[in-house]
Amino acid sequence: ECPGGCGDTVIARDLPRHEKMCMRRQIPCGASSKACIRALESWLTGDTANGKGRIQVCEQHGSSALHWAAMTGELDVIRILNGMTAAQDIDLEATYDGTTPTTRACIEGQFDAVKLLVEEGALLECETSRGYTPLICAVTRGWEDISLFLAESGAIIEYKNQ
C-alpha cells in the first residue's frame, strides 16, 4: 500500500515512480516554504478529472506547486498539474518574487523543465510585473543552453521590457 496514504496498492518495483506521482505527495509552493506544504491534490481545484481544473496559490506567497516543480525540475509534477488544468495556469505569476513557472525554471537552470513548459504552451514573451521574461532570466543567470533554446523557439532577442 502507498506510504503516502492514497490507498493505492503498489508493488515494490513501482513504488519509487508512484511516490513521485502520488496525489498525496507533499509539495511546497514555489517559495519552498514549510508553511505552504500540502498534498499535490490540494494544489488543484475544480474539474481536474476532465482537465478543467485550476492551480491554487498559497496565501502567503501567491506561489504554486507548478512554480516549485519548475524550479526543481520535477517534470512528472509539471505534467500532472498541466494535464489536470489544460495548462491554463502555466504563466501564473507568483506575488512574492514576480516569477512565472518558466522564468523560475530559467533562473534555476532547469533546461528540461523550460523545454516542457514551452512545449505545453508557456509564453516566451510573458513579461512579469517585475520585467522578467524567460530569456532575460536565462541570459542574466548565464544558462547558455536555455538561452539558445528560447531564442530558437522564437523568443524575441531584442525584446525591451516594459
Side-chain angles (χ1 to χ4, degrees), residues 18-36:
H18 176 79
E19 288 177 327
K20 289 186 79 170
M21 299 183 67
C22 179
M23 293 303 288
R24 294 279 173 95
R25 178 181 175 189
Q26 298 296 298
I27 306 279
C29 74
S32 295
S33 172
K34 291 181 181 176
C36 301

Side-chain angles (χ1 to χ4, degrees), residues 93 98 103 126-134 136-137 159-162:
E93 183 177 332
T103 55
C126 183
E127 181 179 334
T128 69
S129 61
R130 298 190 186 181
Y132 304 138
T133 66
I136 289 170
C137 291
Y159 182 85
K160 293 186 182 186
N161 57 5
Q162 309 295 322

Side-chain angles (χ1 to χ4, degrees), residues 18-78:
H18 176 79
E19 288 177 327
K20 289 186 79 170
M21 299 183 67
C22 179
M23 293 303 288
R24 294 279 173 95
R25 178 181 175 189
Q26 298 296 298
I27 306 279
C29 74
S32 295
S33 172
K34 291 181 181 176
C36 301
I37 294 176
R38 59 180 94 158
L40 178 56
E41 65 189 356
S42 297
W43 285 105
L44 295 159
T45 187
D47 187 8
T48 57
N50 293 308
K52 297 178 182 175
R54 297 302 302 256
I55 295 174
Q56 296 192 67
V57 296
C58 72
E59 297 78 24
Q60 186 173 2
H61 305 104
S63 188
S64 71
L66 186 57
H67 287 85
W68 173 82
M71 70 186 249
T72 58
E74 289 277 351
L75 304 181
D76 290 332
V77 175
I78 293 171

Side-chain angles (χ1 to χ4, degrees), residues 114-134:
V114 171
K115 187 175 177 186
L116 177 59
L117 289 163
V118 169
E119 288 170 356
E120 293 195 356
L123 298 175
L124 295 175
E125 305 311 327
C126 183
E127 181 179 334
T128 69
S129 61
R130 298 190 186 181
Y132 304 138
T133 66

